[in-house]
Amino acid sequence: MQALINKLLDEFEKGKLSRRKLIETLAVTAMTIYTANTAAASEAIAATGLPAPDRVHLDTLIVNHISYSIGGTNPDYRKARDFYADLMGMHIVNDSPDASNPQYGQANLAFYGKDETPLGQPKGTPSPFIIARCRNPQAQRGGAPANAAAQRGGGAGQQRPQSRVTVNHIAYTIADWDAKKVEEVLKARGLNPRPDHDSFHVLDPYGYDVQISGIMMTAFN
């Protein structure tokens, strides 16, 4: 996986790959079945036909989690939680509503069950997940100091520069792809799906672009 990512980044830096295409390819590649379920990490990399990665570097397997922080007027994390659990079949884990106002809180949404290994990954690889959350602005904030987020990635006292990075959508691979049936399911929910080759784009309850595709959408097409 690391070798494939290095190759994509190299093409991006050389101008052979747009930023949009890079993001799409990385998201889909992470969730796409490109080798047997029993393949070890080294075998998965070999299956790409690329040289083995420099062992000095970390060996990335798959997406660990996506932090989905909800803002705006009257946010409610439960709407995002239910959307991804109900439509996408994700597993709700550690659902933690705010005691004083249950629209605030957070939940983890795991792609796989607790004892399941993600497809194509070595046994013991944890399931990727989404953290859907919004914080109660009136709640007392204990534990980490208020400037903890600014200090992550730097020394004490450093202010983290404001991010200029935008991930414009996230793509998910689903099983048993049937374009007609998927479109019917999405339309029945009033989601107005937009077709895009072997996939559909919809907006979740907070206007975020979600791409839904089958396993035929890969980085190698």
Side-chain angles (χ1 to χ4, degrees):
M1 185 66 171
Q2 183 69 51
L4 178 58
I5 291 174
N6 287 341
K7 182 176 184 294
L8 292 171
L9 290 176
D10 182 61
E11 291 184 354
F12 171 70
E13 291 171 354
K14 292 178 178 178
K16 297 180 180 180
L17 196 68
S18 68
R19 182 172 64 178
R20 178 185 178 89
K21 190 62 177 177
L22 172 66
I23 293 171
E24 291 177 353
T25 304
L26 288 175
V28 177
T29 299
M31 292 295 101
T32 299
I33 306 170
Y34 57 86
T35 188
N37 187 41
T38 57
S42 58
E43 293 173 325
I45 292 171
T48 67
L50 298 171
D54 184 345
R55 303 317 299 171
V56 172
H57 298 291
L58 301 177
D59 187 9
T60 301
L61 293 176
I62 56 176
V63 173
N64 180 272
H65 72 273
I66 299 165
S67 180
Y68 185 102
S69 185
I70 304 162
T73 304
N74 195 31
D76 189 339
Y77 87 99
R78 297 171 298 182
K79 292 181 180 179
R81 176 200 65 191
D82 294 345
F83 176 89
Y84 287 101
D86 186 29
L87 175 63
M88 304 300 293
M90 296 181 184
H91 303 267
I92 300 175
V93 184
N94 298 328
D95 190 7
S96 304
D98 187 281
S100 62
N101 191 334
Q103 77 182 65
Y104 298 107
Q106 73 176 49
N108 293 343
L109 294 145
F111 293 21
Y112 295 84
K114 182 178 179 180
D115 298 320
E116 294 180 313
T117 297
L119 292 172
Q121 303 304 325
K123 185 175 177 58
T125 302
S127 172
F129 64 100
I130 294 175
I131 306 174
R133 57 187 166 196
C134 58
R135 300 188 185 282
N136 187 344
Q138 305 302 321
Q140 292 287 335
R141 295 194 178 190
N147 65 341
Q151 292 179 9
R152 292 187 189 122
Q158 283 187 330
Q159 290 293 316
R160 190 174 72 174
Q162 183 176 358
S163 174
R164 293 178 293 171
V165 175
T166 298
V167 179
N168 55 21
H169 76 273
I170 300 174
Y172 301 96
T173 298
I174 66 172
D176 303 321
W177 175 261
D178 182 316
K180 184 177 180 180
K181 291 182 180 179
V182 172
E183 185 176 24
E184 289 174 352
V185 168
L186 298 176
K187 284 184 175 180
R189 295 171 180 268
L191 292 174
N192 191 28
R194 176 172 61 85
D196 182 8
H197 301 290
D198 293 312
S199 71
F200 291 99
H201 287 262
V202 297
L203 299 181
D204 79 1
Y206 290 96
Y208 195 83
D209 187 348
V210 176
Q211 186 177 15
I212 302 170
S213 68
I215 62 172
M216 68 288 296
M217 176 173 279
T218 76
F220 308 102
N221 289 342

